[in-house]
Amino acid sequence: MSELNEIVVVGAGAAGATTAESLRRQGYDGRLTLVGAEPHLPYDRPPLSKQILTGRWEPDRIRLRAPEAYDRLAIELRLGSAVTGLDRTGRTVHLADGSRLHADAVVVATGVRPRRLPRTDDPDRSDAPASVHVLRTLDDALGLREALLTGPRLVVAGAGLLGTEAAVAARALGADVTLVGPAPVPLLDLLGPQAAGLVAATRRDLGLRVHQGRVTAVTAARGTVTGVQLADGGVLPADVVLVATGSVPNTEWLHGSGVPVDDGVVCDMLCAAEPGVWAAGDVAGRPDPHTRRRVRLEHRTHATEQAMAVARNILAGSGARPFTPLRSFWTDQHDLKIQVFGDLTGTDRCHILEGDPAERKFTAVYCAADRVLGAVAVNMPREAPRLRTAVETGELPTTRPPEPTPAGATEA
């Protein structure tokens, strides 16, 4: 620890803030700086597409820590400060305001930014139409909420977790919502057929339309959105568009630094990219412990777990341990709280452990060759530890043996 007099954590989201806090709690007593491009105190992003978008929560409620907590932990905040470069030889982080921070170790936690559609990638362009939104930051969520208060026609381009959550929240605000995605049943691969079927039923009950397809562009007249262009040549009318078609890692500031970058920061199993450079959260790509293929996960739970592992490994020296987490995430879809553990792809058998999908409350495990690879809980959060254990061990729980059902059974 004595060699580390100054550590700079770049990125003040959940991964960055957790890394800084974990360093202090694990005994680091040197100078510690947390740099964030946004002016806000570190906050939680999952509520942006739900509680913040609907207005149920005020922005202060999603702060990760109160302002005084950073003072108690002696974490120096440099908020509203974009990074522009890293000099590994000189051990300095360069900021947009011209200042430089010395760093014996740097943690890259700069996250990702949303992909955008043509002509909407730069809001300052003269031909950029108004009312085209993305949803990544607090300001994004507040701006989209303001645009939805009049009950406009909203098209959500992208039917992943973010797009579906935002579509449901927008419908609760009174918007006329059409969700566009390539799959006939959104989220089927992520949630499994039973849970995805419940989400589909919820959307129908809310009057939320789903259109199978892909948005390629926004149509506009005199700078105002009129609809979206689809890949098949069709057009859907819209007053507001939310683009939720994926993300791009924020790594441009690392170009020329020698830190390996390829769809994120290339890390080893310890989450190290280069000597003295580590990465955590959405921006970090590391080898999967089972397949050895590099993976980059954009889930809140993963960001926290990886941040704590990075802090531990920075301080452990030769005692650093590989980061081998169980993949897990959750999503809230109206009145459905869905938790997923492991990976459901490639499974061929589903066992309902408790509850009943018809009652919108159940747990299930998904198997291949009689080995549990994934598990799902719907509105049964207390069962999470049991499901996690089943996936970690690969063994089907022995209590209350269930009757197997085909994994493909679902409501269309």
Side-chain angles (χ1 to χ4, degrees):
M1 262 184 232
S2 58
E3 299 177 356
L4 300 174
N5 297 315
E6 298 181 77
I7 297 178
V8 175
V9 181
V10 184
T18 301
T19 300
E21 182 175 344
S22 297
L23 284 166
R24 283 294 189 233
R25 298 197 185 285
Q26 293 180 40
Y28 174 67
D29 59 3
R31 183 180 182 184
L32 180 56
T33 306
L34 180 61
V35 181
E38 295 182 61
H40 310 291
L41 284 169
Y43 60 86
D44 214 8
R45 295 191 191 277
L48 297 180
S49 59
K50 299 175 282 289
Q51 293 90 345
I52 295 297
L53 188 54
T54 58
R56 297 202 309 271
W57 289 6
E58 292 299 320
D60 286 356
R61 186 168 176 179
I62 65 173
R63 286 178 177 170
L64 293 174
R65 291 287 180 269
E68 55 270 22
Y70 300 98
D71 293 332
R72 287 198 304 269
L73 293 170
I75 297 173
E76 180 183 339
L77 296 176
R78 292 290 296 268
L79 302 178
S81 301
V83 292
T84 58
L86 171 64
D87 179 358
R88 288 196 303 122
T89 303
R91 295 191 296 180
T92 55
V93 175
H94 297 203
L95 303 184
D97 63 6
S99 61
R100 300 182 181 186
L101 299 174
H102 182 272
D104 298 312
V106 174
V107 179
V108 181
T110 42
V112 298
R113 62 184 182 277
R115 293 187 184 277
R116 295 178 181 264
L117 295 172
R119 292 181 56 205
T120 70
D121 53 345
D122 183 359
D124 295 328
R125 283 180 49 157
S126 60
D127 61 345
S131 295
V132 179
H133 297 258
V134 293
L135 185 50
R136 174 67 184 178
T137 69
L138 175 58
D139 292 339
D140 289 339
L142 296 176
L144 177 58
R145 181 173 183 270
E146 181 69 23
L148 295 176
L149 292 179
T150 58
R153 296 170 300 177
L154 169 70
V155 169
V156 179
L161 292 175
L162 177 64
T164 54
E165 288 178 351
V168 169
R171 187 74 187 112
L173 287 174
D176 181 332
V177 183
T178 301
L179 179 67
V180 181
V185 181
L187 305 180
L188 180 61
D189 291 341
L190 282 177
L191 305 183
Q194 289 79 14
L198 289 179
V199 174
T202 296
R203 286 192 294 265
R204 289 195 295 271
D205 292 344
L206 294 173
L208 195 159
R209 292 182 298 276
V210 176
H211 185 96
Q212 186 177 357
R214 182 172 63 87
V215 174
T216 58
V218 174
T219 62
R222 294 182 294 277
T224 301
V225 167
T226 59
V228 297
Q229 181 79 46
L230 302 177
D232 62 6
V235 175
L236 294 176
D239 307 304
V240 179
V241 175
L242 171 61
V243 182
T245 54
S247 58
V248 179
N250 291 318
T251 56
E252 288 78 7
W253 67 284
L254 292 170
H255 291 173
S257 69
V259 175
V261 171
D262 181 10
D263 184 38
V265 177
V266 179
C267 299
D268 60 17
M269 294 291 289
L270 302 177
C271 305
E274 287 286 319
V277 181
W278 310 75
D282 299 352
V283 75
R286 56 171 183 79
D288 182 274
H290 304 294
T291 66
R292 296 296 169 177
R293 293 194 300 268
R294 198 166 60 85
V295 296
R296 186 175 60 78
L297 301 178
E298 298 182 22
H299 300 311
R300 174 65 170 84
T301 302
H302 179 266
T304 301
E305 293 176 347
Q306 190 173 28
M308 292 188 290
V310 165
R312 179 192 68 224
N313 285 343
I314 288 175
L315 302 180
S318 60
R321 302 196 306 271
F323 174 57
T324 57
L326 175 68
R327 183 181 303 195
S328 65
F329 65 91
W330 81 91
T331 180
D332 294 326
Q333 305 271 343
H334 191 54
D335 62 346
L336 299 171
K337 183 174 187 62
I338 304 171
Q339 297 164 280
V340 179
F341 304 90
D343 190 351
L344 309 189
T345 59
T347 59
D348 56 18
R349 187 69 59 183
C350 170
H351 295 269
I352 304 296
L353 299 180
E354 292 186 79
D356 185 345
E359 297 177 358
R360 304 170 67 79
K361 185 177 182 180
F362 72 94
T363 61
V365 293
Y366 295 80
C367 308
D370 296 324
R371 181 175 178 81
V372 175
L373 299 183
V376 174
V378 175
N379 290 334
M380 298 187 73
R382 293 184 179 179
E383 292 300 308
R386 183 180 181 218
L387 297 179
R388 179 181 286 271
T389 299
V391 177
E392 289 174 338
T393 62
E395 298 178 0
L396 187 70
T398 57
T399 57
R400 299 184 297 280
E403 292 295 323
T405 58
T410 185
E411 179 181 0

